Amino acid sequence: QKEVEQDPGPLSVPEGAIVSLNCTYSNSAFQYFMWYRQYSRKGPELLMYTYSSGNKEDGRFTAQVDKSSKYISLFIRDSQPSDSATYLCAMSSDSNYQLIWGAGTKLIIKP
Amino acid sequence: DTEVTQTPKHLVMGMTNKKSLKCEQHMGHRAMYWYKQKAKKPPELMFVYSYEKLSINESVPSRFSPECPNSSLLNLHLHALQPEDSALYLCASSQSRGPPTGELFFGEGSRLTVL
């Protein structure tokens, strides 16, 4: 079993829809949770960074962490075609700073 | 525009060539990283430099050789590569080695093809 599980998709939704992207993990020591967006042939770009449990909002993006369920989510409201990209979750712990990555979910927003 | 600059953007080399990838960051970060990314896979950590000291070597083959001339520059020297080394090579930097300021900022990558 991988430490971090993420459905690779693709996930295809119409423009304006609310998108939900998720990762599950097995290591209860993870405390730091990140979402990166990667456009084709570009480097990953940090979208959201969350410590421990709770929600964090930034514009149309909301990150949620549920440590009791070992489950993290990224919500995108009013999705736009420019949101089409691969979204990667990543996480780390205090004892091992190395990021553990999900496989990435390819998201397609149809105009 | 990213503040982590990688050159060249594309590189094609033969298995007997020697080449280098270069990375520069202008954010005053003290940790820099090399990652390798194959198509439809997440990035794989190759090397970490923290305060100009190599702190992790993930058993990467010796045909990859990192160099950190100063806190802003990071090079990856390539020699006698194999076709399976073809990938996107990503440089990243972070304010510090670990949380809470360990968020990574990536460059756009150098796409390497080994013939």
Side-chain angles (χ1 to χ4, degrees):
Chain A
Q1 183 189 7
K2 293 181 182 177
E3 275 193 283
V4 179
E5 298 278 0
Q6 184 178 11
D7 187 338
L11 174 64
S12 182
V13 300
E15 182 176 356
I18 296 175
V19 175
S20 173
L21 303 167
N22 310 295
C23 290
T24 59
Y25 62 93
S26 56
N27 187 346
S28 58
F30 287 145
Q31 293 270 44
Y32 306 93
F33 304 93
M34 283 143 274
W35 285 96
Y36 283 85
R37 176 176 64 193
Q38 187 172 22
Y39 291 113
S40 181
R41 298 182 173 274
K42 300 287 187 182
E45 170 194 12
L46 181 66
L47 273 179
M48 302 289 279
Y49 179 61
T50 310
Y51 170 70
S52 194
S53 285
N55 293 0
K56 185 173 183 180
E57 188 173 324
D58 184 2
R60 296 185 295 112
F61 298 90
T62 300
Q64 283 187 354
V65 175
D66 182 347
K67 291 193 71 181
S68 62
S69 302
K70 297 191 181 68
Y71 188 87
I72 69 171
S73 300
L74 178 71
F75 297 97
I76 307 174
R77 290 183 299 279
D78 187 24
S79 55
Q80 304 294 310
S82 58
D83 295 326
S84 298
T86 296
Y87 290 78
L88 297 126
C89 64
M91 46 199 81
S92 66
S93 64
D94 280 322
S95 60
N96 186 351
Y97 298 155
Q98 181 177 336
L99 284 186
I100 307 300
W101 296 82
T105 299
K106 183 172 183 178
L107 175 65
I108 300 168
I109 308 296
K110 297 176 293 184
Chain B
D1 287 342
T2 181
E3 293 187 71
V4 178
T5 305
Q6 290 188 242
T7 55
K9 288 192 179 345
H10 301 277
L11 178 63
V12 179
M13 60 187 291
M15 290 190 284
T16 58
N17 293 157
K18 284 186 181 180
K19 297 285 186 183
S20 296
L21 305 179
K22 298 184 183 300
C23 176
E24 186 171 12
Q25 57 94 4
H26 304 280
M27 294 177 282
H29 288 172
R30 299 311 302 265
M32 295 186 75
Y33 310 75
W34 280 114
Y35 278 85
K36 173 184 176 180
Q37 188 177 29
K38 302 282 271 186
K40 300 184 179 181
K41 298 289 186 183
E44 297 174 52
L45 182 63
M46 299 177 73
F47 300 106
V48 181
Y49 272 91
S50 180
Y51 292 87
E52 298 157 48
K53 287 187 177 180
L54 180 64
S55 55
I56 290 179
N57 184 324
E58 296 284 319
S59 300
V60 175
S62 60
R63 56 185 183 267
F64 296 92
S65 175
E67 179 196 15
C68 190
N70 60 55
S71 61
S72 299
L73 294 172
L74 186 65
N75 299 322
L76 185 63
H77 302 298
L78 314 170
H79 173 56
L81 296 193
Q82 305 296 310
E84 60 264 29
D85 296 321
S86 299
L88 182 67
Y89 287 84
L90 293 160
C91 174
S93 70
S94 61
Q95 186 174 336
S96 67
R97 175 71 180 88
T101 56
E103 305 99 295
L104 295 178
F105 294 85
F106 284 88
E108 294 202 344
S110 293
R111 185 160 298 281
L112 173 67
T113 302
V114 181
L115 301 177

